[in-house]
Amino acid sequence: MGRILAIDYGTKRTGLAVTDEMQIIASGLTTVETKELLPFIKKYISTEKVEKIVVGLPKQMDNTASESEVYIQKFLLQLSKAIPQIPVERVDERFTSKMAFQTMIDSGLKKKQRKNKALVDEISATLILQSYLSSRQF
């Protein structure tokens, strides 16, 4: 089995999370500047076996696409051209940023540490990945 890579896409920064090789545990990987995202992914998959990529699907409360979906679609097109051999799935990412912030509070992080938006993005990617893992049929 290969890892599953999760992406919490943002126009400035993008959070990344990954599973272990058995696809049991979701862990934060890093946050990268979005302009460096594709080169980062290419380098990562050259050293790690990645079986699937999961990308957050931002939706409004009424189930319509979020404004950021336009940017994500452009990225997905670039991703499919650059790495066509790895399938991509989408996962509803509503509330992940709020849940990530609450996770930081629950973990006892100080207020200054909670202002680290890169950490919020990484935790959000981890929550997206955990949601995907929980929803799979075995």
Side-chain angles (χ1 to χ4, degrees), residues 4-135:
I4 300 172
L5 178 68
I7 299 173
D8 179 32
Y9 188 89
T11 54
K12 294 179 183 177
R13 287 175 316 280
T14 297
L16 298 165
V18 68
T19 64
D20 58 303
E21 291 175 353
M22 297 297 294
Q23 300 179 1
I24 298 170
I25 300 170
S27 302
L29 181 61
T30 190
T31 301
V32 297
E33 289 187 38
T34 299
K35 62 184 178 186
E36 297 297 322
L37 180 58
L38 212 46
F40 179 90
I41 293 171
K42 285 180 179 179
K43 184 177 179 186
Y44 185 79
I45 67 169
S46 73
T47 60
E48 297 289 339
K49 184 176 186 232
V50 175
E51 185 175 298
K52 185 177 292 178
I53 297 173
V54 175
V55 180
L57 176 61
K59 292 183 178 182
Q60 304 286 353
M61 288 303 295
D62 65 0
N63 222 24
T64 59
S66 167
E67 298 163 6
S68 58
E69 182 63 15
V70 173
Y71 303 105
I72 296 171
Q73 286 297 321
K74 288 179 186 176
F75 166 72
L76 290 173
L77 187 59
Q78 295 171 338
L79 182 64
S80 67
K81 287 179 181 177
I83 310 167
Q85 71 277 18
I86 299 178
V88 175
E89 287 192 38
R90 304 294 303 277
V91 174
D92 187 345
E93 67 170 48
R94 280 180 282 196
F95 309 116
T96 54
S97 293
K98 288 179 183 171
M99 289 176 5
F101 191 73
Q102 188 61 49
T103 299
M104 294 169 80
I105 291 171
D106 294 346
S107 298
L109 291 179
K110 305 259 186 262
K111 194 171 191 176
K112 185 176 180 182
Q113 293 170 305
R114 294 193 308 256
K115 289 183 180 181
N116 179 352
K117 292 183 181 184
L119 183 56
V120 173
D121 293 336
E122 184 178 326
I123 293 171
S124 293
T126 307
L127 292 169
I128 290 167
L129 185 53
Q130 189 60 55
S131 173
Y132 173 78
L133 291 174
S134 297
S135 69

